[in-house]
Amino acid sequence: MGRGRSQVFETMKHPDPRRLVAVIPLLLLGCASVDPSQRGTLMKRSMQLPSDPMEMAFDSHVHETRESLAGATQVGGPSCGCN
Amino acid sequence: MPGARAMVRIAGLLFTALGLLVASRARATVGSGGRSSVRNDVYMDEQIVVVSPTAHSWLELGDKIEIDAGFGLDVLTGATPVLTTDAITSATYFSETRRGANAAVTYRPRSTWDLHASTAVSLESDHETVSPAAGASTELFHRMSTLGLDYAFVHERVGLASDPSYQQMTLGHMVDLRWAQILRRGTAMMFIATGQLSNCDQALGCHANPYRRVPILTPGGGILMTARERHPDRRLRGAAAVRLRQYLGHDLALHGGYRFYGDDWNTTGHTGDLALVKTFLGGRLRARVEGRFTWQEPASFYRNNYEITDVTEFEVPSYRSADREVTRMYNGLAGVRFDHQFALPRDVSLGINTRVSRIWYRYLNYSVLDSRNAWIIGVGLQLEY
């Protein structure tokens, strides 16, 4: 028997945090060692966040003052391993 | 639109920012380099216009230390309906300015470690926030992983413009955990988790507005009385997000993420975003097309109507809110951003960026308003040296 729409909706409202954590090891299964000399693709500008941190801060401020939701916003990223 | 006084303030800020740029450039001759940024973003919807000029500079002092400082304004103008003791008035004009400043220092004892501390201050006529923070991050596993932990303490004071003796305090703690992981040559992942605890004064509770009043309705729907908005005096919030960046070839990349939010007011939310980023002209010009969607379930105490059944014997609900931000709602954003970098003589580069976004807000159980639609327009200049 499939779950009803309301049950699915309730699950979406209160997802089990253990399921979220379980996703992370799955992501790492495909993790391959990448030397710093091979990180050119990762450091391409198309892979970077908008260049101005103040722009990102403004976006976070807009969303946090008009929603009840806050936190876990994107900052930083992986290392180029170049210094 | 902002009045003449606000425009003078903005012009003053931009002139000061230019001074900061020149000063930073001069100082960089004794350091290892730095960058400065000035920008102006404007948010506009049917009720409010917010003009937000900012300036920020980062300066490297040798290999191990970086300092940065910035400041900005939010100049708000608009008109909003105000609920008095027994009626909703026509739209009432308002104008206010928020001033913000922040400063940070980063120390890198080793190439794979950084320790940082910062403080941010935000001042309005009836609201002040001071937030010192500290954190560390390190690179692990052949620098494939970056792990970061940050803590911030938040002190807020809420006042009333009409009553200088009125004062409410909030003490907050925030912890941020970040984990960035390289998965493949063209794939990077990031996991971010945030926990926040706010302890607020009892008269108002957390994030309630001292000016906002909530109508208590008779069974017939008439306004029996109004009461000041009152939220729970404690709020525990958590959010976790997973983000992925995938290179697709031909200078094109896909960025995406999902965030779950939950708090002890039973508010939950899901946010997804997706962006396609493409570079041109050898990487100097970058275009980003992006979308974002958020669904939010309301706080448990929120009601569209606080209606009583007996007008002769009743109790005002302990918690009541007329805040559309705690209602059931969704919003969608679509936008584009462009930035171009120009190489200048003496290892200096100039970046110009601009963005336009459209946001649609829909409120599903808020009788005062069912929608609003906003534009965000921004332009910035960045100098790297």
Side-chain angles (χ1 to χ4, degrees):
Chain A
M1 287 253 322
R3 290 188 301 171
R5 185 176 176 276
S6 61
Q7 279 180 291
V8 174
F9 191 62
E10 280 302 310
T11 306
M12 281 183 65
K13 279 170 67 178
H14 303 288
D16 185 346
R18 288 171 298 185
R19 289 187 189 175
L20 292 175
V21 173
V23 170
I24 295 164
L26 292 176
L27 289 169
L28 291 179
L29 283 177
C31 186
S33 181
V34 181
D35 289 336
S37 62
Q38 299 172 320
R39 295 183 191 177
T41 301
L42 290 169
M43 293 303 121
K44 280 180 180 282
R45 288 194 76 215
S46 59
M47 289 287 282
Q48 305 302 310
L49 293 172
S51 54
D52 190 347
M54 305 311 294
E55 191 177 350
M56 307 304 289
F58 178 80
D59 282 9
S60 291
H61 183 65
V62 165
H63 296 313
E64 289 180 6
T65 52
R66 288 163 183 83
E67 298 167 358
S68 207
L69 321 178
T73 50
Q74 56 178 326
V75 286
S79 166
C80 65
C82 49
N83 58 356
Chain B
M1 292 296 292
R5 185 180 295 180
M7 296 307 290
V8 168
R9 285 178 184 156
I10 293 167
L13 179 84
L14 291 176
F15 275 115
T16 310
L18 283 174
L20 191 66
L21 280 171
V22 173
S24 298
R25 179 74 187 101
R27 184 67 186 84
T29 56
V30 298
S32 302
R35 62 201 160 100
S36 295
S37 164
V38 289
R39 65 175 300 106
N40 193 20
D41 292 284
V42 180
Y43 169 95
M44 296 173 285
D45 66 24
E46 295 90 343
Q47 296 182 340
I48 190 171
V49 176
V50 185
V51 181
S52 302
T54 56
H56 207 110
S57 275
W58 296 258
L59 189 61
E60 292 176 7
L61 302 175
D63 296 333
K64 293 182 185 269
I65 297 176
E66 182 182 85
I67 56 171
D68 71 82
F71 59 95
L73 300 176
D74 282 336
V75 183
L76 287 78
T77 52
T80 187
V82 171
L83 184 66
T84 63
T85 51
D86 57 358
I88 298 174
T89 68
S90 58
T92 303
Y93 177 82
F94 69 92
S95 175
E96 61 183 347
T97 302
R98 182 181 74 87
R99 299 163 188 81
N102 55 75
V105 58
T106 301
Y107 173 59
R108 297 187 184 91
R110 297 165 61 179
S111 62
T112 55
W113 270 93
D114 85 44
L115 309 171
H116 44 268
S118 64
T119 190
V121 178
S122 168
L123 302 173
E124 292 169 67
S125 60
D126 51 6
H127 189 207
E128 291 176 10
T129 306
V130 180
S131 178
S137 73
T138 183
E139 295 169 25
L140 303 166
F141 310 121
H142 305 289
R143 307 180 80 167
M144 292 278 290
S145 305
T146 304
L147 201 60
L149 185 65
D150 287 273
Y151 167 78
F153 173 76
V154 183
H155 178 268
E156 276 184 88
R157 188 189 66 80
V158 179
L160 267 177
S162 56
D163 180 6
S165 64
Y166 181 87
Q167 190 163 288
Q168 293 274 292
M169 298 287 210
T170 296
L171 298 179
H173 306 273
M174 186 166 80
V175 175
D176 237 356
L177 175 69
R178 297 182 316 282
W179 169 31
Q181 177 72 40
I182 295 171
L183 299 180
R184 294 163 188 259
R185 287 188 188 189
T187 312
M189 181 214 76
M190 193 162 187
F191 174 76
I192 315 153
T194 303
Q196 297 180 65
L197 174 65
S198 300
N199 288 303
C200 311
D201 272 346
Q202 293 181 353
L204 199 59
C206 290
H207 309 121
N209 184 329
Y211 301 103
R212 200 156 40 214
R213 301 187 71 85
V214 180
I216 308 299
L217 302 181
T218 64
I223 297 178
L224 176 68
M225 60 173 287
T226 67
R228 177 176 279 164
E229 190 168 77
R230 166 90 164 87
H231 290 173
D233 49 18
R234 179 178 174 275
R235 192 174 192 185
L236 181 62
R237 317 170 84 183
V242 177
R243 307 200 54 77
L244 274 172
R245 295 179 217 173
Q246 175 65 52
Y247 186 69
L248 302 174
H250 305 289
D251 296 320
L252 180 68
L254 183 69
H255 299 205
Y258 165 77
R259 176 182 72 172
F260 171 74
Y261 169 92
D263 65 29
D264 63 355
W265 294 0
N266 271 358
T267 312
T268 54
H270 305 270
T271 303
D273 65 89
L274 208 58
L276 270 173
V277 186
K278 168 89 175 156
T279 56
F280 305 90
L281 305 175
R284 294 195 303 279
L285 174 65
R286 178 170 55 175
R288 178 183 171 101
V289 181
E290 61 192 8
R292 178 184 187 273
F293 182 81
T294 287
W295 176 273
Q296 175 181 300
E297 287 295 319
S300 57
F301 55 85
Y302 175 77
R303 303 279 180 275
N304 194 6
N305 292 307
Y306 291 88
E307 191 176 287
I308 56 162
T309 52
D310 185 347
V311 295
T312 57
E313 192 172 339
F314 65 92
E315 284 186 11
V316 175
S318 307
Y319 302 129
R320 60 262 172 188
S321 182
D323 183 0
R324 62 190 166 208
E325 271 77 54
V326 300
T327 65
R328 176 176 291 122
M329 62 174 287
Y330 65 87
N331 66 66
L333 175 150
V336 291
R337 301 175 200 248
F338 297 95
D339 68 89
H340 194 292
Q341 285 191 327
F342 300 90
L344 301 178
R346 294 198 293 178
D347 291 331
V348 175
S349 76
L350 174 69
I352 299 175
N353 62 74
T354 183
R355 62 90 57 94
V356 177
S357 300
R358 181 75 163 149
I359 312 181
W360 298 268
Y361 296 94
R362 296 293 178 268
Y363 305 98
L364 303 181
N365 61 342
Y366 186 61
S367 55
V368 177
L369 186 72
D370 59 5
S371 69
R372 64 174 169 169
N373 305 296
W375 285 102
I376 296 176
I377 299 168
V379 62
L381 289 175
Q382 269 195 304
L383 199 62
E384 280 193 48
Y385 33 83

